[in-house]
Amino acid sequence: AVEKKVAKGKVGEKVGLPCCHEIPSTESLRNYRVYWQKNITEVVLAYARGEKISNNDRFDNRTQLNERNLTLWISPLEILDNGPYQCIVQHLKVLQNSVVPSIVCDEPVTLYITGDFSEPSITAEVITSSCELDEVMLSCSSHGGFPKPQISGVLNNRPAVWNASWVSESSNSPYNVTGNMQLNLTEDTNLTCSIEYNGFAKSTSLLLSR
């Protein structure tokens, strides 16, 4: 099985997508056609005989090609850049006065975009109160990040489960997440809410006093 190439980047930062071919020092980009495509159908950047031959409004002024190892640099990154890319390299050979392109390589690389979530915000609302206990509705929310996050809770060092809901305009749009939990409070309790996404995490703690 071919090991799939992966690149990771954060919104607003810069990332380089590795290509499958490096042009030897004896040759130049003028001997090649290079296509960087997204989702197979969308041309991000293309060069033929050393000249740029394609324009893509969404990627315009955000991409650069390394003319030796053909790395595609994208900056600043957007959530919509998330997804599969392909580097296609053709070598141009002159045979009997005509140029014959031969495919050197054609390899996919997947770009995973991360957008930071806001610090989680915890609210606590007392529904009913008595001598023995307070019935409290807890809510934890965070917004503006990517990809779809996990939300977890800890009550006095014990795991707690949030009733979670997510809002996003599309699969490639920022996510807002909210978790709700009802709690019978009989003592001072420390609550932590954590939002986890692509190996990153943001946490907030709150002391619930009884």
Side-chain angles (χ1 to χ4, degrees):
V2 177
E3 189 185 327
K4 286 213 167 75
K5 285 186 180 171
V6 163
K8 293 180 179 181
K10 272 194 168 185
V11 171
E13 294 182 3
K14 184 175 186 176
V15 76
L17 303 184
C19 186
C20 43
H21 185 70
E22 186 162 334
I23 294 176
S25 56
T26 52
E27 292 189 300
S28 77
L29 197 55
R30 285 191 294 278
N31 304 105
Y32 289 85
R33 271 193 209 139
V34 180
Y35 297 93
W36 267 104
Q37 296 179 337
K38 183 172 190 285
N39 296 325
I40 302 175
T41 53
E42 183 183 9
V43 176
V44 176
L45 194 62
Y47 276 80
R49 297 177 164 276
E51 298 290 322
K52 193 172 164 185
I53 57 165
S54 78
N55 257 347
N56 182 320
D57 289 345
R58 214 177 67 69
F59 285 97
D60 227 19
N61 303 322
R62 293 199 303 123
T63 52
Q64 277 178 309
L65 185 75
N66 181 303
E67 296 195 2
R68 190 56 59 193
N69 63 20
L70 309 179
T71 295
L72 175 70
W73 289 96
I74 307 174
S75 172
L77 285 169
E78 301 172 358
I79 286 177
L80 281 173
D81 299 335
N82 193 68
Y85 290 75
Q86 206 151 15
C87 183
I88 299 163
V89 183
Q90 295 177 339
H91 194 210
L92 304 175
K93 290 178 181 156
V94 178
L95 292 176
Q96 293 161 350
N97 297 327
S98 63
V99 176
V100 179
S102 62
I103 288 191
V104 178
C105 71
D106 164 357
E107 206 171 281
V109 52
T110 304
L111 174 59
Y112 292 102
I113 298 288
T114 302
D116 277 333
F117 280 83
S118 63
E119 293 292 334
S121 163
I122 303 174
T123 58
E125 184 189 344
V126 177
I127 304 167
T128 60
S129 185
S130 67
C131 301
E132 293 83 39
L133 59 83
D134 293 336
E135 201 176 328
V136 183
M137 178 59 79
L138 300 168
S139 180
C140 175
S141 60
S142 177
H143 60 268
F146 189 84
K148 186 177 178 179
Q150 298 293 318
I151 181 169
S152 60
V154 176
L155 282 167
N156 285 353
N157 301 320
R158 287 193 301 275
V161 177
W162 294 97
N163 180 14
S165 59
W166 295 265
V167 177
S168 179
E169 286 177 19
S170 74
S171 59
N172 276 331
S173 296
Y175 281 86
N176 297 343
V177 60
T178 302
N180 293 306
M181 187 190 310
Q182 203 162 322
L183 185 67
N184 291 333
L185 204 62
T186 56
E187 59 180 355
D188 287 359
T189 300
N190 196 42
L191 167 69
T192 300
C193 174
S194 299
I195 308 293
E196 289 144 33
Y197 52 102
N198 256 7
F200 297 92
K202 292 263 176 98
S203 294
T204 299
S205 293
L206 180 69
L207 180 64
L208 304 167
S209 300
R210 173 87 227 288

